[in-house]
Amino acid sequence: QQDGPTVLIVHTHTCEAYAQEPGWEYDEDDTARSMDPAYSVVRVGDELAEVLESRGIGVIHDTSINDYPSFNGAYGTTLERIEAQLAAHPTIQMVIDVHRDAAADADGQPITRTAEVNGEPIAQLMLVVGTDEGGLYHPNWRDNLSWALKLQAVMERSWPGLCRHIDLRTERFNQHATAGSLLVEVGASGNTLKQALVSARLLGEGLADLIEGV
């Protein structure tokens, strides 16, 4: 309980979108990419923010586009936004960078990352944890890893199969900014936005449970 937001949600690759489906079609700026926040990972971030706020956790959702017109340098652009938000809101303790994965099969068709929860196919989640192995300053990456492991345990206890294995990487992904930072891949380019929204709600519930010590 504090006066001010606890969680900052950002999107380094803001235009990442999902597979087209009837009734949810959108104009693609590139394959499975859209600047329309109603169909990109920004919509997934909205869902996550709504769940956290309903549980009494203060959230700022920065919907700035960081990967257009140039995809290169998106992480640098996002870091500037994170630092500005942290300066304006010193109560922020956790930064969540929401993405969707991209993968294709041997025929070049997009792959889905799907879990079955309560008999419904939804998008799998993957927590990505950066380190200092690449040479960038990130002395407390183990704190982020510890947080990710706890969050994964909470979600797997409630929804077995929801999460893929944690992806431990040499890059830091701006996670040096706070001790509770995470990058979350919500499904892949073969999943639908509907599937991703369900998973975002479960992510929010699991994160709230962990914060509240349920």
Side-chain angles (χ1 to χ4, degrees):
Q1 301 297 320
Q2 59 184 14
D3 294 325
T6 300
V7 175
L8 169 64
I9 299 172
V10 298
H11 305 278
T12 296
H13 297 153
T14 322
C15 298
E16 290 176 331
Y18 293 87
Q20 305 268 7
E21 61 179 322
W24 292 63
E25 297 90 350
Y26 60 91
D27 293 328
E28 291 183 314
D29 296 293
D30 199 350
T31 304
R33 296 182 63 80
S34 175
M35 292 183 65
D36 186 341
Y39 294 96
S40 70
V41 289
V42 173
R43 178 68 184 84
V44 178
D46 285 341
E47 199 77 11
L48 173 60
E50 183 178 311
V51 172
L52 293 175
E53 289 172 342
S54 73
R55 297 282 296 269
I57 298 166
V59 178
I60 291 179
H61 185 194
D62 190 324
T63 62
S64 304
I65 295 177
N66 300 307
D67 58 349
Y68 183 87
S70 176
F71 188 84
N72 295 330
Y75 278 97
T77 302
T78 304
L79 179 58
E80 293 176 3
R81 301 194 193 282
I82 290 172
E83 290 174 338
Q85 292 285 7
L86 292 176
H89 307 281
T91 55
I92 292 172
Q93 299 179 46
M94 182 178 195
V95 179
I96 305 177
D97 193 353
V98 178
H99 292 244
R100 68 108 176 94
D101 202 359
D105 61 21
D107 297 324
Q109 296 302 308
I111 289 175
T112 61
R113 303 291 189 186
T114 306
E116 186 170 308
V117 174
N118 299 324
E120 179 183 7
I122 65 173
Q124 270 190 312
L125 303 176
M126 183 172 70
L127 307 181
V128 180
V129 178
T131 69
D132 59 2
E133 191 68 21
L136 293 177
Y137 177 79
H138 191 9
N140 300 315
W141 65 266
R142 290 174 182 82
D143 293 336
N144 290 336
L145 176 58
S146 175
W147 182 254
L149 288 166
K150 292 172 184 175
L151 176 58
Q152 178 125 334
V154 167
M155 292 192 292
E156 282 296 300
R157 181 180 63 202
S158 297
W159 309 288
L162 174 61
C163 298
R164 299 161 60 190
H165 293 303
I166 289 176
D167 188 10
L168 191 64
R169 301 284 292 276
T170 58
E171 302 88 346
R172 71 179 182 183
F173 300 118
N174 295 330
Q175 293 177 0
H176 63 296
T178 64
S181 295
L182 282 177
L183 189 156
V184 185
E185 301 273 11
V186 183
S189 50
N191 289 99
T192 65
L193 178 58
K194 278 189 204 174
Q195 293 173 334
L197 293 178
V198 175
S199 302
R201 289 194 288 272
L202 298 184
L203 172 62
E205 297 290 354
L207 181 56
D209 285 346
L210 180 59
I211 291 173
E212 295 173 358
V214 174

